């Protein structure tokens, strides 16, 4: 079955095709000139790039259309839903809603040897420790890891998304002690950000960037290791945009080597938001019997990973 997936929850408009595996996966990212995402601008961006990205994906007609239906930014979700519903109508094929976060989880399983890992979902909007059956064991009490990296990068004048630029800047930095906040399997990043911002006046950007990463990542390794110990799981799987960070992967590899476990990270092309993960997750949802009529295809700005299908089964 050939599935076309459309991603449009936030900054990225992505189109992917899954046909026994990923056969097409192209995207275009909205980059605000400064500050965070302006919803209307992001939606306009998505509309402007849609046709160009869809063209090659439609050369061979898909059997199924999937769209990222939750959670996300309203105007962005609407663009993806409208395009997906129109395509499903025109082609006369089923339409399947997808939970964006679940798609991140499922593409991780599809593209790595991990079978039953502790998932570490780290992106612009989420920091969660999850296990199969989609149970959330721990999460950030305030800002997400990707957001924490982007916020510090912005203070340093680096363009959005700042995570990758901060990673480069951090190389060769020296260690400064910063706030480290872990509560059971939850963690917190806002105190770390506030302190790092204060220290920028008296310390080099490189030392701050390095120390910031070391603290933020060590907290995450600690809660993930606790989740592995509690559940007896012997694999950890990094998913979401921040899973591309090399230092983070290295720290997880060290932790896992010490306990005889295995660390995996989703391949970079499937780590950030992308259409292939929506296509694949749509296929799995369709196989579970989920689909919606094009004229009744809804989207939801908020949804958790555990009970989201009820939103669409009425
Ligand atoms: P969500 O999945 O929660 O809706 P999102 O869709 O905005 O959030 P993704 O596209 O999965 O998030 O990830 C984007 C985030 O990944 C940004 O915060 C970005 O800075 C971060 N990121 C990307 N590459 C790296 C890297 N090499 N190191 C650290 N962070 C990175
Ligand atoms: Fe995402």
């Amino acid at each position: 079955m050939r599935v076309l997936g459309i991603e449009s929850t936030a900054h990225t408009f992505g189109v992917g095709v899954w046909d026994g595996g990923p056969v097409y996966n192209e995207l275009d990212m909205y980059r605000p000139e400064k500050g965070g995402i302006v919803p209307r601008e992001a939606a306009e961006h998505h509309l402007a790039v849609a046709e160009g990205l869809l063209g090659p994906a439609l050369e061979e007609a898909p059997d199924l259309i999937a769209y990222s239906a939750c959670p996300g930014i309203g105007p962005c979700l609407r663009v993806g839903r409208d395009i997906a519903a129109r395509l499903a109508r025109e082609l006369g094929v089923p339409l399947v809603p997808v939970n964006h976060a679940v798609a991140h989880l499922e593409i991780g399983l599809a593209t790595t040897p991990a079978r039953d890992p502790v998932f570490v979902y780290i992106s612009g909007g989420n920091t969660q420790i999850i296990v199969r059956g989609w149970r959330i064991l721990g999460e950030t009490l305030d800002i997400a890891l990707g957001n924490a990296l982007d916020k510090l990068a912005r203070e340093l004048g680096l363009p959005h998304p700042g995570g990758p630029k901060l990673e480069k800047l951090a190389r060769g930095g020296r260690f400064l002690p910063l706030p480290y906040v872990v509560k059971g399997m939850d963690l917190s990043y806002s105190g770390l950000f506030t302190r790092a911002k204060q220290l920028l006046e008296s310390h080099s950007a490189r030392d701050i960037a390095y120390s910031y990463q070391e603290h933020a990542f060590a907290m995450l390794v600690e809660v993930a290791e606790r989740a592995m110990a509690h559940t007896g799981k012997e694999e950890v799987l990094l998913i979401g945009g921040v899973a591309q960070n090399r230092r983070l992967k290295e720290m997880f590899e060290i932790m896992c080597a010490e306990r005889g476990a295995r660390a995996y990270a989703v391949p970079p092309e499937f780590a950030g938001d992308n259409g292939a993960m929506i296509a694949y997750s749509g296929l799995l949802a369709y196989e579970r019997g989920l689909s919606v009529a094009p004229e009744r295809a809804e989207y939801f700005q908020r949804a958790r990973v555990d009970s989201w299908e009820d939103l669409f089964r009425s």
Side-chain angles (χ1 to χ4, degrees):
M1 193 175 237
R2 192 176 172 85
V3 188
L4 184 144
I6 296 177
E7 161 57 33
S8 76
T9 53
H11 45 70
T12 298
F13 188 84
V15 177
V17 178
W18 190 274
D19 191 357
V23 296
Y24 180 83
N25 196 23
E26 295 294 326
L27 55 84
D28 197 298
M29 201 188 285
Y30 155 74
R31 292 171 197 272
E33 276 179 18
K34 61 189 235 247
I37 296 179
V38 182
R40 193 177 42 79
E41 278 180 15
E44 280 166 8
H45 161 270
H46 295 354
L47 257 184
V49 302
E51 207 178 316
L53 294 172
L54 280 164
L58 287 167
E59 271 169 21
E60 259 185 84
D63 307 303
L64 189 70
I65 307 288
Y67 70 105
S68 52
C70 62
I73 300 169
C76 300
L77 288 163
R78 189 164 67 222
V79 171
R81 187 277 312 267
D82 288 350
I83 294 170
R86 177 172 56 76
L87 284 174
R89 234 185 340 254
E90 284 174 7
L91 296 166
V93 299
L95 178 63
V96 183
V98 166
N99 179 311
H100 174 92
V102 171
H104 275 297
L105 295 161
E106 289 175 336
I107 198 69
L109 287 179
T111 57
T112 67
R115 292 279 80 53
D116 185 21
V118 166
F119 294 83
V120 179
Y121 176 24
I122 35 179
S123 60
N126 282 287
T127 298
Q128 294 182 327
I129 307 294
I130 303 174
V131 291
R132 262 183 177 228
W134 309 150
R135 273 195 308 134
I136 300 167
L137 301 183
E139 60 194 317
T140 179
L141 299 170
D142 40 59
I143 56 175
L145 176 57
N147 187 229
L149 299 172
D150 294 341
K151 274 164 73 95
L152 182 69
R154 199 177 306 155
E155 294 295 325
L156 292 167
L158 301 169
H160 189 84
K165 283 133 205 149
L166 207 65
E167 176 177 18
K168 285 208 186 78
L169 175 63
R171 286 191 198 129
R174 283 175 310 156
F175 187 86
L176 309 165
L178 293 172
Y180 181 100
V181 183
V182 163
K183 293 178 179 161
M185 280 186 271
D186 294 330
L187 42 77
S188 154
Y189 287 127
S190 67
L192 172 65
F193 170 70
T194 306
R195 183 68 185 138
K197 192 174 155 187
Q198 287 168 351
L199 289 179
L200 278 177
E201 286 174 16
S202 50
H203 293 77
S204 78
R206 167 155 289 124
D207 291 352
I208 301 280
Y210 171 77
S211 307
Y212 195 77
Q213 280 200 165
E214 292 300 301
H215 284 78
F217 296 170
M219 285 184 227
L220 195 64
V221 172
E222 181 182 332
V223 294
E225 183 170 21
R226 187 161 295 128
M228 293 173 87
H230 274 300
T231 58
K233 297 198 191 292
E234 292 177 344
E235 303 172 311
V236 66
L237 174 55
L238 307 181
I239 53 161
V242 187
Q244 292 164 90
N245 189 289
R246 304 269 288 271
R247 174 62 181 148
L248 180 65
K249 286 190 236 186
E250 182 184 43
M251 289 169 77
F252 270 91
E253 277 158 13
I254 293 167
M255 179 268 281
C256 284
E258 284 173 358
R259 44 185 302 122
R262 292 169 304 283
Y264 300 106
V266 66
E269 64 269 37
F270 304 113
D273 293 354
N274 66 93
M277 73 179 191
I278 303 301
Y280 176 65
S281 190
L283 174 64
L284 299 185
Y286 184 69
E287 287 172 349
R288 290 193 302 270
L290 188 66
S291 69
V292 291
E295 60 282 1
R296 294 183 50 197
E298 292 186 273
Y299 59 85
F300 296 90
Q301 300 201 51
R302 303 180 71 87
R304 302 270 292 183
V305 289
D306 33 22
S307 57
W308 70 278
E309 283 192 36
D310 297 343
L311 297 170
F312 297 92
R313 290 187 197 267
S314 53

